[in-house]
Amino acid sequence: MRRKRFIKYLRFSIIFTFIIGLVFGFTSIEKDSKNVQQRVNRTAGVYWMEINNIGMPINNSGVYADVAIPGKPPHGTFDGHTFLFSGGFCVSGYIDIGQPTEFLWANAVATASRIADYRPGPVGTAPTDPKNKLYIVRSDDEPFGPDWQDWKDAVSLGADFYDGDKDGKYNPVDKNGNGEWDPDEDRPDLLGDETVWCVINDGVPARDRRYTDVPPLGIEIHQTIFGFASSGLLGNMLFIRYKFINKNPDNKTLDSVYFSVWADPDLGDYTDDLVGCDVPEWAAGYTYPPGRPKEGRNAGYVYNDGSDNEYGSNPPTYLVDFFQGPFVYTGNSADTAFNIRGPYLGIDTLVGYKQLGISSFVQYFQSQPVEQADPANRIEMRYYTLGFNRRGNPLNPCTWAFGQVRGGVDCNTVDPRFFYSGDPHRNIGWIQTTPADERMMVNTGKFRLRPLQDTAIVVAALIVGRGNSATASIEEAKRISDFAQFIYDQNFRTASAPPAPKVLVRTTERTIDLMWPTAEQVNFRQQSIAYDQRFEGYELWAFRTNNIADIVGGVENAKVIARWDLKN
């Protein structure tokens, strides 16, 4: 059956007593080189990323969301409201394991818990070095222009690049002078339509840390945040990639390491949030219905308990999904892992390795209850990365006061390391029942990092889904997660934007006339292994408010007022 596809592209809006717009699948990219303040911010180590439906402030110390930028909100935003107060990560492990000097360590970038153990730059460099900044490249950059040249400094710090001439050096030069990039020419490692890259290390002195008994260990992390210019499903996600390198000055191996994507989500009002996870059915303790992947989505999420003071009757869900976990060597030729590097750098195939998925999902609160409060020391943080409570004990889903196992599921079959693994939309399994100001950790492990030998790479998606109710938003976030998985499986190759309509607006006292030529859209076609994309028609949308959500404040906000379909 042939499917017709309306590609939502550019929102052209005219504001009178209402907003009227043409909406197609991808948004236009507003070139930030025209924004002098953004350029200044980059040098200062902060950047406001808004390539799609998500607004995200980022700094060069590993923090996203909880970052102050003049004129911008200091948190992650969606549909004009907060969804994420602070984002970061946690890492824990051992050195000298099995020896008298064995030491358990933990460090993190978790600002809501007052933990900031990482600083800009590679191990051994000064955080104030001008090179230790954010590097940004975009799909609309001038080929071989300033941003491509600036990437030379990123490469000197460890960033990847496409080596078109195969000489092992990054030298972005237009060899044939045609003003366009050709495959035999070097270019930055661009993922999506915008890539923000930096390198950080755990060099914050012990005396300046919350956990003052944990010294710097020489951990270096290359962080990449990227997204696609889209107003559709693809616009409701950002991807984040962490690459870990052990540069311990004493050549210590980092052993039994666990890594967590950490978040302090605030879906509008911060007091009414609930969390859950989507994991294999053996962990949830019941058989999944048809259509739900039995292996789970390797995801943790936060949702609301109902209506929200800011988002109204249908607050969104924020979901963190692991797509690529660390690689662990097995030596078994039947095991194969894949390092997905993007359309320019390709895919690395690693025979004899397996890829780790989610190992646990936990929540904790700021202060109460005590056994699930802010981790006050490295040992408590370690317990959280393992899926236990603050005292090192597993929760009991049968008796835990903040949740309940529903729908006839035997509470004794639920794996307590995966908090609230039930299905809130269908009211089955282990579900959180008491809303609160949440922190959540999506954990993976364990793995080992030998000095200057091993690297660990983690790729996760940060997804926002909004349905017609609080729990329907969970379903929407999972649907977007499945689409994000498809994009990942395609090595981050996506359909590019069709040409934007060139709309002419003419107004009179009683009418608004919109006129545009159609040849560019009608003749558009794009094919790949994954899709055969053709133009099928236009839709004209009317919006009650200045955003594109279907419902705002419990009232219908968006309506299609006209359609034009090809006769085919």
Side-chain angles (χ1 to χ4, degrees):
M1 175 187 238
R2 186 175 177 188
R3 292 188 300 172
K4 297 185 178 180
R5 203 178 283 180
F6 287 93
I7 308 293
K8 294 186 178 179
Y9 185 69
L10 174 68
R11 197 184 79 174
F12 183 91
S13 56
I14 312 164
I15 301 176
F16 287 83
T17 57
F18 59 92
I19 299 175
I20 188 168
L22 280 173
V23 184
F24 298 87
F26 298 79
T27 60
S28 60
I29 302 176
E30 183 178 342
K31 182 69 173 172
D32 75 36
S33 62
K34 298 175 184 177
N35 189 331
V36 176
Q37 185 59 52
Q38 278 282 58
R39 291 263 172 190
V40 172
N41 287 342
R42 275 194 215 188
T43 305
V46 298
Y47 183 70
W48 175 259
M49 188 174 188
E50 197 173 20
I51 192 68
N52 51 34
N53 301 331
I54 295 173
M56 187 70 72
I58 304 166
N59 73 13
N60 61 340
S61 297
V63 182
Y64 53 94
D66 187 15
V67 176
I69 298 177
K72 301 294 184 181
H75 41 243
T77 62
F78 180 82
D79 278 350
H81 301 289
T82 300
F83 75 91
L84 182 64
F85 177 78
S86 182
F89 61 88
C90 306
V91 197
S92 73
Y94 286 88
I95 56 174
D96 295 338
I97 193 166
Q99 302 176 31
T101 53
E102 178 177 293
F103 179 72
L104 170 65
W105 55 270
N107 59 40
V109 173
T111 58
S113 294
R114 304 181 303 283
I115 308 173
D117 299 329
Y118 285 73
R119 66 186 192 182
V123 170
T125 65
T128 54
D129 187 324
K131 290 174 65 174
N132 295 335
K133 62 176 185 176
L134 297 170
Y135 293 86
I136 296 100
V137 288
R138 296 162 59 106
S139 59
D140 65 340
D141 279 337
E142 174 192 353
F144 314 104
D147 290 337
W148 287 31
Q149 302 303 322
D150 195 36
W151 198 257
K152 291 178 181 178
D153 285 340
V155 170
S156 73
L157 300 178
D160 291 331
F161 66 95
Y162 173 82
D163 189 9
D165 56 13
K166 311 299 182 186
D167 67 351
K169 301 176 182 178
Y170 177 63
N171 187 25
V173 174
D174 187 5
K175 294 181 176 181
N176 59 13
N178 65 354
E180 299 178 357
W181 174 77
D182 297 298
D184 64 343
E185 297 166 338
D186 295 356
R187 62 169 299 144
D189 177 28
L190 173 67
L191 294 165
D193 289 306
E194 183 171 54
T195 294
V196 182
W197 185 90
C198 69
V199 56
I200 59 178
N201 73 92
D202 72 330
V204 174
R207 65 179 181 274
D208 298 331
R209 300 183 178 208
R210 180 171 186 181
Y211 307 152
T212 56
D213 57 345
V214 180
L217 297 171
I219 301 173
E220 183 171 300
I221 299 177
H222 300 177
Q223 176 183 285
T224 308
I225 300 178
F226 58 98
F228 294 86
S230 170
S231 61
L233 294 184
L234 197 56
N236 283 25
M237 66 184 79
L238 295 175
F239 293 89
I240 186 163
R241 179 178 66 189
Y242 295 102
K243 180 180 179 181
F244 299 83
I245 304 172
N246 177 7
K247 294 186 177 181
N248 186 272
D250 299 317
N251 291 317
K252 303 280 190 181
T253 293
L254 306 179
D255 222 320
S256 299
V257 178
Y258 282 80
F259 170 78
S260 313
V261 175
W262 175 94
D264 178 359
D266 289 340
L267 298 175
D269 183 352
Y270 68 94
T271 63
D272 58 358
D273 295 337
L274 303 162
V275 300
C277 64
D278 192 306
V279 294
E281 64 178 12
W282 60 259
Y286 66 98
T287 302
Y288 290 163
R292 182 175 177 183
K294 294 185 181 300
E295 68 276 11
R297 292 181 173 86
N298 281 301
Y301 56 85
V302 60
Y303 62 105
N304 264 178
D305 67 340
S307 296
D308 178 79
N309 290 335
E310 292 189 26
Y311 280 105
S313 62
N314 63 327
T317 287
Y318 172 54
L319 181 146
V320 176
D321 194 342
F322 276 144
F323 289 138
Q324 183 170 305
F327 306 126
V328 175
Y329 180 69
T330 66
N332 186 345
S333 60
D335 292 332
T336 304
F338 300 95
N339 181 22
I340 306 298
R341 304 182 68 192
Y344 295 110
L345 300 185
I347 300 174
D348 296 334
T349 301
L350 307 173
V351 178
Y353 288 81
K354 68 177 181 180
Q355 183 175 303
L356 299 177
I358 185 173
S359 58
S360 62
F361 173 78
V362 303
Q363 72 167 157
Y364 68 88
F365 310 99
Q366 184 174 6
S367 56
Q368 296 294 330
V370 173
E371 67 270 24
Q372 208 65 33
D374 224 32
N377 55 58
R378 58 186 169 88
I379 298 172
E380 293 178 357
M381 177 61 79
R382 175 66 172 187
Y383 288 150
Y384 281 160
T385 65
L386 297 177
F388 300 145
N389 71 9
R390 189 181 176 193
R391 306 305 185 206
N393 301 312
L395 294 187
N396 186 343
C398 300
T399 60
W400 175 239
F402 287 76
Q404 189 177 71
V405 180
R406 297 175 171 174
V409 175
D410 182 355
C411 61
N412 295 294
T413 66
V414 176
D415 190 324
R417 296 173 300 169
F418 299 92
F419 286 28
Y420 313 121
S421 54
D423 185 340
H425 191 58
R426 295 168 181 81
N427 201 31
I428 183 171
W430 191 17
I431 296 169
Q432 185 179 359
T433 55
T434 305
D437 181 14
E438 311 272 6
R439 283 86 165 131
M440 69 183 199
M441 295 168 59
V442 189
N443 304 321
T444 186
K446 59 184 178 178
F447 56 96
R448 183 176 66 161
L449 289 173
R450 293 171 296 178
L452 299 177
Q453 294 185 61
D454 303 318
T455 58
I457 299 173
V458 174
V459 179
L462 315 177
I463 293 167
V464 184
R466 193 173 189 186
N468 57 19
S469 70
T471 61
S473 291
I474 302 173
E475 298 300 291
E476 178 67 3
K478 291 179 179 180
R479 184 171 76 98
I480 297 172
S481 173
D482 292 342
F483 180 52
Q485 181 71 58
F486 170 79
I487 297 299
Y488 170 83
D489 292 341
Q490 297 300 315
N491 196 19
F492 298 112
R493 293 184 183 275
T494 66
S496 60
K502 297 177 175 63
V503 181
L504 175 66
V505 181
R506 184 176 62 191
T507 63
T508 69
E509 185 176 348
R510 294 177 177 272
T511 64
I512 302 173
D513 295 326
L514 303 177
M515 297 166 285
W516 65 93
T518 61
E520 284 190 297
Q521 291 81 46
V522 170
N523 295 324
F524 175 80
R525 184 175 184 184
Q526 187 172 202
Q527 291 177 288
S528 76
I529 296 175
Y531 48 78
D532 181 2
Q533 187 179 23
R534 311 182 193 197
F535 175 79
E536 283 292 339
Y538 298 96
E539 290 183 343
L540 185 64
W541 289 69
F543 298 95
R544 187 179 58 84
T545 66
N546 193 19
N547 71 54
I548 60 172
D550 291 337
I551 298 174
V552 174
V555 179
E556 182 183 22
N557 181 63
K559 179 180 293 187
V560 178
I561 58 175
R563 286 190 176 96
W564 298 268
D565 191 13
L566 287 180
K567 292 183 178 180
N568 58 2

